[in-house]
Structure formats: C-alpha cells, structure tokens
C-alpha cells in the first residue's frame, strides 16, 4: 500500500494549479519533476477501491477522498436512484442528507439534475442564494448555511438514459467551489463509477451463484422425498410428486419445506 504523506496547504494549492494547467504547456521534464499530493491521493483511492467488495464501502471511500481532494468541500454526499425515487446512502454529516432530501422533495437541484444532464452530468451553482436555475432549492440551501454546490453524475449510460446517481459537493461559501474542483470531481466520479460497476457485477454474480445453489439443493431434496414415497407407497415418480404438491397446498407450506421435512423425519413417518 502506498503511503500518502500529509501535504501542506501550499503543496496542495500548487498541485491543483498543475492539475488545471493545459498539459500541452508543460515540458516533459517539468511533468516528471515530482508526483504531487493530488496524484498520490488518486493512486491511494484506486488501491482502496480495489479492495472493497461492497457498494457501501466503495461509496464511503469516494466520499472520504472527495473531502481530501476538494479543499472547498465542506459537505459531501452520494445520491443513488432507486425504483422508489432518490436516496442518500453515504454522507459526511446529516446536513448533507437534508440538503439532498430537499432536492428529492422539490424534484429540483444539482444532485437530481446531474442524473438527467447529458454529457458529463456536471451541474454547478456558485451562489445558491441567487440561483436562477434552482430558485426553490437555492433559497432553502442558503437558509441552511450553504453557499455553493457541485454535482457530477455517476454511471453515465450515454444518450438520454438517466444515470444511477450523483456525487454531491457542498461549500458553505459563495464561490467556494471553482473550475478545478469540477475537474477533480469528474475524476472522482469516474473512479466511483468504475469501482461501483465492478462491485455490483460481482454482487450480481454471487447472487446468481447462490440462487443456483439454492435451486440445485431444492431439486435434490425433492428428489430424495420422491424416492422415499416411491419406495414406501410403490408409486411412480409423477404420483410421488403429485403427493408432495398436494401436501404443500394442504399445509400451506413451500414444496421444498414439505420435502425437507419428509427427508429429515423419514423414520418417524
């Protein structure tokens, strides 16, 4: 694991300027001078994300990294789209969730709009108290002590398809988030989307494997129960299955449960 040294505020500021600078203006020698704290933070984040096996773990890592990499970030949260609407699974403090929930209720605001915006899904407001694009949320957020906000969409699908969520960054200061913060947020969102896609794919594969095992186990125990009935009652396999199904309906129990009981208590029945 790479250890990231604690950088001074000046080092972070200088590294952010290098991040924002046009790459074509730097000579190779200047690019190779040193690895700044921002680059090290991204490397560290990649390593941490690779070790995470849950969606909640991935989201927490990304939120923690955002607090470090974006100096103006006073509050950070993640919005996820679910069948019943939006929700906030991870935040740095409860105020972030309350700000998100105002947007969900009003169906207005950057964290909602970022899931709908074409391209990179970047939605930004530097002065929430005077925000023409989100007037109702802007006034509510300003009253809650927040001055500016930035949201970046997660899981871009391309075209007009909605994203699954957004990375939300709030600053208590008007103008507290700048263009560099937006660029950094895009990189963080890309890390989050990639890691979440991998984690959710693994989760889906594990679930499918578990369901397959359950189906095989159910088929096996039903087969055993049928064999017991066939041997004792001298009936066919179809008749044995019909008997199990009839018992299942009469007892209002799942077929596999009836079969399991017969197998486990074969000597008592």
């Amino acid at each position: 694991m790479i250890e990231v040294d604690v950088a001074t505020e000046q080092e972070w500021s200088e590294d952010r300027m290098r991040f924002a600078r046009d790459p074509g203006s730097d000579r190779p020698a200047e690019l190779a001078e040193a690895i700044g704290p921002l680059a090290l933070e991204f490397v560290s984040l990649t390593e941490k994300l690779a070790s995470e096996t849950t969606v909640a773990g991935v989201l927490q890592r990304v939120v923690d990294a955002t607090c470090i990499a974006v100096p103006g970030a006073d509050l950070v949260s993640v919005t996820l789209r679910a069948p019943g609407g939006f929700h906030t699974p991870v935040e740095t403090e409860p105020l972030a969730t309350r700000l998100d929930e105002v947007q969900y209720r009003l169906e207005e605001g950057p964290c909602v709009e970022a899931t709908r915006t074409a391209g990179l899904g970047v939605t930004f407001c530097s002065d929430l108290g005077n925000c023409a694009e989100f007037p109702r949320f802007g006034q509510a957020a300003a009253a809650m002590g927040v001055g500016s906000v930035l949201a970046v969409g997660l899981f871009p699908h391309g075209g007009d398809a909605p994203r699954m969520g957004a990375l939300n960054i709030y600053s208590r200061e008007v103008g507290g988030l700048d263009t560099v913060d937006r660029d950094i947020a895009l990189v963080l969102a890309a890390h989050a989307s990639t890691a979440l896609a991998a984690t959710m794919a693994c989760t889906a594969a594990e679930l499918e494997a578990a369901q397959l095992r359950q189906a095989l186990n159910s088929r096996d125990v039903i087969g055993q129960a049928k064999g017991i009935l066939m041997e004792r009652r001298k009936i066919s396999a179809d008749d044995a299955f019909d008997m199990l199904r009839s018992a299942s309906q009469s007892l209002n129990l799942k077929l596999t449960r009836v079969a399991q009981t017969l197998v486990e208590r074969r000597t008592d029945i």
Side-chain angles (χ1 to χ4, degrees):
M1 181 68 67
I2 292 179
E3 296 293 333
V4 181
D5 295 330
V6 177
T8 66
E9 184 175 345
Q10 181 179 354
E11 288 171 331
W12 269 104
S13 178
E14 291 173 352
D15 200 40
R16 278 167 49 78
M17 292 306 296
R18 285 197 295 270
F19 184 86
R21 195 180 304 155
D22 178 6
S25 67
D26 288 321
R27 294 189 299 275
E30 291 174 329
L31 287 172
E33 272 183 7
I35 298 177
L38 186 58
L40 287 175
E41 181 61 34
F42 283 129
V43 171
S44 177
L45 174 61
T46 301
E47 293 177 340
K48 291 172 182 175
L49 290 177
S51 67
E52 288 294 344
T53 57
T54 66
V55 172
V58 168
L59 295 176
Q60 189 62 60
R61 293 288 191 185
V62 171
V63 165
D64 292 343
T66 302
C67 291
I68 295 172
V70 180
D74 293 315
L75 307 165
V76 181
S77 67
V78 170
T79 289
L80 286 185
R81 180 191 296 272
F86 296 103
H87 71 287
T88 301
V90 180
E91 32 91 311
T92 53
E93 60 180 87
L95 177 57
T97 296
R98 293 202 299 272
L99 288 160
D100 292 350
E101 289 174 346
V102 170
Q103 298 174 72
Y104 306 156
R105 186 177 69 253
L106 296 175
E107 294 189 356
E108 171 191 295
C111 74
V112 172
E113 193 63 28
T115 68
R116 305 167 177 166
T117 303
L120 298 175
V122 178
T123 310
F124 181 75
C125 181
S126 61
D127 185 356
L128 284 166
N130 298 283
C131 185
E133 188 175 2
F134 312 116
R136 292 180 297 166
F137 167 68
Q139 290 296 320
M144 296 166 75
V146 175
S148 52
V149 62
L150 162 64
V152 181
L154 298 176
F155 285 114
H157 297 290
D160 297 327
R163 292 170 177 79
M164 289 182 64
L167 174 64
N168 314 311
I169 305 171
Y170 300 96
S171 172
R172 290 188 170 88
E173 302 295 328
V174 172
L177 300 165
D178 58 23
T179 302
V180 181
D181 293 325
R182 277 174 266 181
D183 292 343
I184 294 172
L186 281 168
V187 178
L188 289 163
H191 276 67
S193 294
T194 302
L196 283 169
T199 300
M200 294 176 77
C202 290
T203 301
E206 290 166 1
L207 178 61
E208 184 177 352
Q211 290 172 335
L212 178 60
R213 286 195 298 272
Q214 183 179 14
L216 291 173
N217 291 338
S218 297
R219 188 173 67 179
D220 184 55
V221 75
I222 291 172
Q224 292 179 53
K226 284 169 57 180
I228 293 170
L229 290 173
M230 290 167 65
E231 189 275 329
R232 293 188 178 182
R233 296 294 183 92
K234 308 303 181 185
I235 57 178
S236 68
D238 288 343
D239 288 340
F241 183 78
D242 287 341
M243 186 174 290
L244 287 170
R245 183 171 56 186
S246 177
S248 170
Q249 293 171 349
S250 298
L251 298 171
N252 195 27
L253 294 172
K254 290 184 177 180
L255 181 62
T256 52
R257 180 58 183 161
V258 172
Q260 185 68 44
T261 300
L262 177 58
V263 170
E264 292 174 349
R265 302 182 59 190
R266 69 179 74 187
T267 58
D268 301 329
I269 300 176

